Amino acid sequence: MTTATTSPSAATATDRFAALYEGARAALAGSARDGEMARRDAAMARFREMGVPRRGDEEWKYTNLAGLDALPFELAGAARVVAPEAVEPALVGAGPRIVLVNGRFDERLSDATEAPAGVTVEAHVPADASVLDRCTDLAPLPFARLCEALAPTAAVVRVAPGVEAAEPIQAVFITTAGDAPVAAFPRLRVEAGAGASVTVVETHLVMGAGATVAASLTEIDAADGARVVHECTADLNESSWRLAAIVIRQARSSRVESAAVATGGGVTRHDFRASLDGPGADCALRGLAMLSRDEHVDNHLLVRHAAPECTSREFFKNVLDGSSRGVFCGRIHVDQDAQKTDGVQTNATILLSDDAEAQSRPQLEIYADDVKCTHGATVGQLDEGAVFYLRSRGLPEARARALLIDGFAGEILDAYTVAAVRDRLKSALFGPIPGGAGAA
Amino acid sequence: MTQAQATPDPAPTGDDALLESWAQSEYKYGFVTDIESESAPPGLNEDIVRFISEKKGEPDWMLQWRLKALRHWLTMTEPTWPKVDYPPINYQDIVYYSAPKQKPALGSLDEVDPKLLETYEKLGIPLEEQKMLAGVAVDAVFDSVSVATTFKETLREAGVIFCSMSEAIREHPELVRAYLGSVVPYSDNFFATLNSAVFSDGSFVYVPKGVACPMELSTYFRINAMNTGQFERTLIIADEGASVSYLEGCTAPMRDENQLHAAVVELVALDDAAIKYSTVQNWYPGDERGVGGIYNFVTKRGKAAGRRSRIAWTQVETGSAITWKYPSCVLLGDESVGEFYSVALTNRRQQADTGTKMIHIGKNTRSTIISKGISAGRGQNTYRGLVKVNKGAEHARNFTQCDSMLLGDRCGAHTFPYIEVKNRTARVEHEATTSRIGEDQLFYCNQRGLRTEDAVSMIVNGFCKEVFRELPMEFAVEAQKLLDVSLEGSVG
């Protein structure tokens, strides 16, 4: 049991979020549609019930949020203007894109005119949160509820049944950091109709050096036979808190791939939740954290096999330098009726420095007997034998190490299907390493 | 003896029928010996603690330690994180002390209450016979007081102290004071703290410098009086260069009232010492509806305190309604080694949340974890284990393998490992698999002339082999038999 150490006069982060909502409620109500405020109020009430998780919370054991209490954050302002040149480097192609700055739709930066028939890319508040509701059956997600309550609007990508969107669709969320800490609530929803196919690139950018707190929510709803590829990247600053929930609901024979790589940042938490509700659904989740300084990334996942004959694959890797910390907590939950489940979960970590720390909890929770589930976790350092081998072939030591790290991380990066995203990540990750493959 | 009436499920067919008949096989060791026992009134307060301490004629420092634990316990809340489910326990309803009627000090077995001896015979551990058998000394704990100890003379010659905890507190206070609570402090956790306040008795072993204990030491625990929580306290110390193997086996009578068992076992291994602690646990698991059965909330921890010290835990857990138990190793000394081998079987409505903790503190420390979970009936089996490598633990090495086998579609198998690494030279590996007995495997065996039941037994025993081979000979035989009994008719 933990007790709050803050004095009663100091506001906790929970109180501060509640105050933000009170402050923003009138403005939100001004543009609200039917039932929207009731849903926001309900979401806020659920958040308040749970509050910002404390250290004693088993689900947050390795990610300490006490630092949020000391952060006097305000809502990210609406008036900031972002120059197109600042966004340009983050764009991945000519496909449709939607840009939200501090949670508000930015028409100037967005370009959805190219959207093919049957594909809509627009900003509005979703009329429900059924995917989130489904994915929080087993365990709650306080920050996702917070985002549901406070996100001014959401980027919504809809693909009609049977439509295959050829070009990747990009959703860009910009948070402008200022002198005072700001809080932002990016929300993205992807709805793929039966047999539809779509690739969505989710990009988070923090501009400026000030502190930011972003509670983001990504909802993916894949109908029968739909194919969704979701690739998420985040360019953050050193004092950013990114608390992201990626919730996925899959119907019969659908396939969803979701991957998240964080570069830079202060504290990042990804909560992946997938509910495989239809027989034959296939889900693949991937993550890579290459950290230095005192960066902290916590990848949490819960994949629920609720129907028979579903497949899930979870591959997460960490390369930890400096005094960084990489946390992995994955759980495959197999319902009693989910026979013929096939689940594989692996987490591998390489520690490069004396001060880096790794925590790993690969878990299985199985209530059906005809299942094939395995998980594995390894923690170690670079194989000195392999380094020696490369050096004996004439490679300088730094190059040899970079090559091995590249190979280790490549397994996750090479699975990125959007070439522009993959290349950007590679140069961001391997650029700084002398002679790293990405630098070439 | 209470005969539980099984409520038959819908008529099963084929393999399921065998499964069912295993699930319904009666607990063999369910009987209550009628012996006049002297009990404290139910409830827990300072008076009860004083009563227990006085009954045992303890010195003041012991009483003060108990009271300190009680006061701390009153500030604690029961943990809710284990993946087990049971009705709330009213700690004020439990009888915290119960002893067979006190008799004058016993000189030989002849003076022991014949009914007690009869109980042991039913359990298959006739003391007379064991005296004849080579190598096993038995310190039998009947309820809370050790009533018979054999082979003491032989052990004394070697300089080994093997006695009840009460006796150790009286005869060897300097050792008890130095080591009691040094591995599991009185404030450790809810159940260990409860135990520290009210522990009734248990075993004490001290193996002096350089002595290899000449025989395997063994204690049979037996819970008897109704409503009596069993609070054993065991302390084993292996001094420099010493080695000892300790066997713990348990059976308990059949009854409908849940019984709380909160034991604490502490092991201390100094430089170059080795302790091997083996358990076969077969307490009453409750009937098919989950009524009755023992709540086994045990804290077991070993401290590999010296250089090159070794601690090995081996357990075969087939009994208890609920098992909550994590035999752990604190690898403090450089080059110390920790091992954990476990078979946990849950059937009917049994629940087990068990595993280990390996805390690497010293340099070049190594640990191995092999855990085999078998779930049948409506059993829920959870492996929960921590591997922690501290900052200074250069070149620590861990290998963990936990495999689960599911027999039936109403049971659950769960794996919750925790890995925390703070040193880059560490190498930690964890592997886990979940499987069932394949129809192809059964078909192959059938086709070679094996009955399905034998095939299952063979496959399950093969699945557990890595653990069984770590058990001392007698235990290995017993463990296999136990598994066979538990497996009767259980084919998936």
Side-chain angles (χ1 to χ4, degrees):
Chain A
M1 211 171 56
T2 54
T3 46
T5 47
T6 47
S7 63
S9 60
T12 62
T14 307
D15 297 335
R16 207 181 297 277
F17 282 124
L20 288 189
Y21 184 67
E22 289 313 313
R25 200 176 177 283
L28 291 170
S31 60
R33 290 190 281 182
D34 286 351
E36 183 186 315
M37 288 319 289
R39 287 195 304 278
R40 287 185 188 274
D41 288 345
M44 196 62 207
R46 292 172 90 157
F47 169 75
R48 293 209 66 167
E49 229 170 77
M50 301 175 272
V52 170
R54 297 276 144 196
R55 205 81 199 259
D57 187 329
E58 191 71 7
E59 292 299 305
W60 290 82
K61 191 179 164 82
Y62 300 117
T63 297
N64 189 351
L65 297 174
L68 283 179
D69 287 337
L71 213 59
F73 49 81
E74 294 297 336
L75 270 185
R80 296 300 186 117
V81 176
V82 176
E85 305 86 69
V87 186
E88 192 67 37
L91 301 182
V92 295
R97 70 168 177 272
I98 180 167
V99 181
L100 273 67
V101 177
N102 292 341
R104 286 146 187 101
F105 177 56
D106 190 314
E107 200 173 352
R108 220 165 36 90
L109 299 175
S110 305
D111 180 8
T113 51
E114 298 294 314
V119 178
T120 59
V121 181
E122 53 188 30
H124 66 77
V125 180
D128 67 79
S130 62
V131 178
L132 177 60
D133 292 342
R134 172 61 180 156
C135 290
T136 47
D137 273 359
L138 295 172
L141 287 171
F143 293 109
R145 292 297 172 192
L146 192 63
C147 182
E148 189 193 352
L150 269 158
T153 187
V156 180
V157 176
R158 275 210 189 97
V159 186
V163 172
E164 292 190 15
E167 288 289 325
I169 296 162
Q170 191 173 17
V172 183
F173 299 89
I174 297 169
T175 305
T176 57
D179 297 333
V182 295
F185 304 92
R187 185 173 178 187
L188 167 65
R189 168 178 287 218
V190 179
E191 294 173 16
S197 169
V198 64
T199 297
V200 178
V201 176
E202 180 182 351
T203 307
H204 291 267
L205 300 175
V206 170
M207 295 188 169
T212 60
V213 181
S216 79
L217 169 61
T218 302
E219 298 157 280
I220 298 172
D221 197 358
D224 288 358
R227 296 268 176 282
V228 178
V229 175
H230 168 248
E231 301 184 344
C232 181
T233 64
D235 282 350
L236 310 169
N237 69 29
E238 291 180 18
S239 42
S240 57
W241 296 74
R242 180 168 145 72
L243 308 164
I246 296 120
V247 297
I248 301 164
R249 180 173 65 187
Q250 292 188 238
R252 177 184 293 272
S253 302
S254 60
R255 175 169 171 81
V256 173
E257 285 180 48
S258 178
V261 173
T263 51
V267 175
T268 298
R269 159 93 168 202
H270 290 123
D271 268 293
F272 286 93
R273 294 281 171 89
S275 192
L276 309 184
D277 291 350
D282 182 351
C283 177
L285 306 176
R286 292 185 193 87
L288 172 67
M290 291 188 64
L291 310 180
S292 56
R293 299 190 339 260
D294 57 350
E295 292 162 5
H296 177 110
V297 169
D298 180 350
N299 280 314
H300 242 70
L301 33 131
L302 173 51
V303 176
R304 181 179 193 175
H305 285 256
E309 292 167 8
C310 293
T311 305
S312 72
R313 294 286 180 270
E314 294 92 43
F315 297 121
F316 285 77
K317 289 193 168 184
N318 299 330
V319 180
L320 308 177
D321 205 345
S323 58
S324 64
R325 205 172 202 214
V327 182
F328 172 80
C329 178
R331 182 180 300 188
I332 298 178
H333 178 109
V334 181
D335 283 359
Q336 196 176 311
D337 298 328
Q339 299 292 1
K340 309 275 180 207
T341 284
D342 179 355
V344 176
Q345 177 180 226
T346 62
N347 172 229
T349 300
I350 289 184
L351 295 175
L352 293 177
S353 79
D354 292 334
D355 294 322
E357 287 180 23
Q359 273 96 21
S360 183
R361 289 160 62 189
Q363 312 182 340
L364 300 175
E365 191 168 347
I366 296 168
Y367 297 94
D369 66 335
D370 189 7
V371 300
K372 206 172 80 191
C373 279
T374 61
H375 67 190
T378 57
V379 180
Q381 54 183 350
L382 281 182
D383 181 353
E384 289 305 320
V387 174
F388 178 79
Y389 173 81
L390 290 174
R391 291 180 67 190
S392 77
R393 315 300 285 184
L395 266 71
E397 180 166 354
R399 177 94 204 224
R401 291 185 182 277
L403 193 64
L404 289 172
I405 293 170
D406 188 7
F408 177 80
E411 207 185 339
I412 303 292
L413 294 175
D414 290 342
Y416 270 72
T417 55
V418 182
V421 178
R422 187 172 64 232
D423 295 345
R424 275 192 35 172
L425 281 173
K426 284 198 168 182
S427 68
L429 294 172
F430 298 110
I433 298 174
Chain B
M1 171 167 166
T2 324
Q3 274 290 351
Q5 287 300 315
T7 328
D9 280 64
T13 52
D15 292 348
D16 288 343
L18 280 162
L19 246 178
E20 287 296 322
S21 71
W22 173 35
Q24 287 170 14
S25 66
E26 281 292 322
Y27 182 69
K28 274 191 170 177
Y29 304 119
F31 47 84
V32 175
T33 312
D34 188 17
I35 289 184
E36 202 183 331
S37 68
E38 190 179 16
S39 300
L44 181 54
N45 51 45
E46 294 205 359
D47 290 342
I48 293 288
V49 172
R50 285 175 201 280
F51 171 84
I52 294 169
S53 190
E54 195 193 318
K55 267 275 168 236
K56 310 184 81 61
E58 288 176 356
D60 188 58
W61 59 266
M62 196 64 245
L63 173 65
Q64 293 310 322
W65 196 74
R66 286 176 181 272
L67 289 172
K68 200 162 57 169
L70 175 71
R71 286 171 200 142
H72 187 73
W73 182 75
L74 291 170
T75 69
M76 298 173 97
T77 46
E78 201 172 331
T80 53
W81 52 262
K83 200 177 160 39
V84 295
D85 192 28
Y86 55 91
I89 297 170
N90 184 348
Y91 291 91
Q92 296 303 334
D93 260 4
I94 294 171
V95 173
Y96 287 90
Y97 182 78
S98 155
K101 206 178 171 190
Q102 290 289 328
K103 289 206 169 180
L106 304 168
S108 76
L109 282 179
D110 303 338
E111 296 172 36
V112 175
D113 189 329
K115 281 197 175 170
L116 271 181
L117 295 177
E118 201 183 306
T119 306
Y120 296 138
E121 256 160 60
K122 279 194 219 167
L123 285 171
I125 46 156
L127 294 184
E128 293 90 340
E129 205 180 304
Q130 292 209 355
K131 262 189 162 175
M132 310 296 287
L133 286 168
V136 182
V138 175
D139 171 25
V141 174
F142 187 93
D143 263 16
S144 311
V145 174
S146 298
V147 289
T149 306
T150 53
F151 283 89
K152 225 165 208 178
E153 295 305 317
T154 323
L155 290 171
R156 194 168 289 154
E157 272 168 36
V160 175
I161 303 168
F162 179 35
C163 61
S164 74
M165 188 58 96
S166 328
E167 195 183 331
I169 291 168
R170 284 195 305 271
E171 314 270 322
H172 309 284
E174 71 298 340
L175 285 172
V176 177
R177 265 187 108 157
Y179 291 107
L180 187 73
S182 71
V183 185
V184 180
Y186 74 90
S187 56
D188 194 76
N189 69 67
F190 186 80
F191 297 110
T193 301
L194 177 64
N195 174 289
S196 300
V198 300
F199 74 84
S200 38
D201 213 333
S203 301
F204 175 85
V205 177
Y206 173 79
V207 188
K209 275 184 192 173
V211 173
C213 187
M215 61 188 69
E216 284 179 338
L217 305 178
S218 159
T219 295
Y220 275 78
F221 291 87
R222 177 121 172 89
I223 296 179
N224 201 284
M226 270 270 203
N227 276 330
T228 307
Q230 184 92 352
F231 300 95
E232 302 291 343
R233 186 98 195 182
T234 297
L235 176 58
I236 299 176
I237 304 146
D239 212 325
E240 288 171 24
S243 66
V244 60
S245 169
Y246 188 89
L247 281 60
E248 176 197 328
C250 320
T251 59
M254 189 173 212
R255 61 181 45 153
D256 280 327
E257 205 101 7
N258 284 311
Q259 289 182 308
L260 175 67
H261 183 99
V264 171
V265 176
E266 295 179 277
L267 311 182
V268 182
L270 302 181
D271 285 359
D272 297 295
I275 301 176
K276 186 181 173 77
Y277 193 103
S278 312
T279 308
V280 170
Q281 190 261 109
N282 183 28
W283 281 336
Y284 180 50
D287 62 20
E288 1 350 84
R289 291 159 302 164
V291 180
I294 304 290
Y295 290 177
N296 188 21
F297 299 153
V298 177
T299 306
K300 289 184 169 178
R301 196 175 303 155
K303 185 158 79 175
R307 292 179 65 89
R308 294 173 300 277
S309 46
R310 290 179 86 97
I311 289 181
W313 298 98
T314 307
Q315 60 173 22
V316 177
E317 303 276 327
T318 61
S320 292
I322 300 176
T323 303
W324 179 94
K325 179 180 172 186
Y326 314 93
S328 308
C329 296
V330 180
L331 303 172
L332 205 59
D334 292 349
E335 291 162 55
S336 56
V337 177
E339 288 166 68
F340 174 78
Y341 301 95
S342 167
V343 168
L345 186 148
T346 54
N347 195 0
R348 303 182 182 177
R349 287 181 190 267
Q350 280 176 273
Q351 306 171 59
D353 191 322
T354 183
T356 183
K357 289 184 193 176
M358 293 291 173
I359 318 284
H360 292 259
I361 299 171
K363 296 183 174 63
N364 302 313
T365 45
R366 281 175 292 148
S367 63
T368 305
I369 299 171
I370 307 286
S371 166
K372 306 281 181 180
I374 303 161
S375 308
R378 288 162 187 267
Q380 296 294 331
N381 205 329
T382 304
Y383 167 82
R384 188 186 301 273
L386 168 71
V387 175
K388 186 171 183 172
V389 178
N390 278 10
K391 209 163 168 45
E394 298 281 325
H395 301 288
R397 181 83 177 89
N398 162 266
F399 176 75
T400 302
Q401 187 181 337
C402 39
D403 298 326
S404 304
M405 183 177 270
L406 291 132
L407 307 171
D409 58 1
R410 312 302 292 270
C411 50
H414 320 300
T415 318
F416 300 140
Y418 295 62
I419 300 165
E420 301 180 11
V421 181
K422 296 185 180 178
N423 187 302
R424 67 164 153 167
T425 60
R427 266 176 74 200
V428 178
E429 289 171 79
H430 175 97
E431 284 174 23
T433 62
T434 300
S435 57
R436 71 198 297 228
I437 296 179
E439 279 163 27
D440 51 339
Q441 290 170 312
L442 285 180
F443 178 77
Y444 176 80
C445 294
N446 287 156
Q447 174 241 21
R448 313 300 285 185
L450 281 168
R451 287 188 304 133
T452 305
E453 196 169 287
D454 293 337
V456 169
S457 168
M458 189 176 80
I459 292 167
V460 171
N461 273 304
F463 177 72
C464 300
K465 203 169 126 193
E466 282 166 280
V467 175
F468 286 164
R469 69 165 179 233
E470 296 298 325
L471 286 169
M473 181 64 169
E474 303 83 354
F475 257 28
V477 174
E478 192 176 330
Q480 284 202 18
K481 272 191 196 154
L482 201 59
L483 219 58
D484 281 351
V485 170
S486 308
L487 274 167
E488 264 166 27
S490 174
V491 182

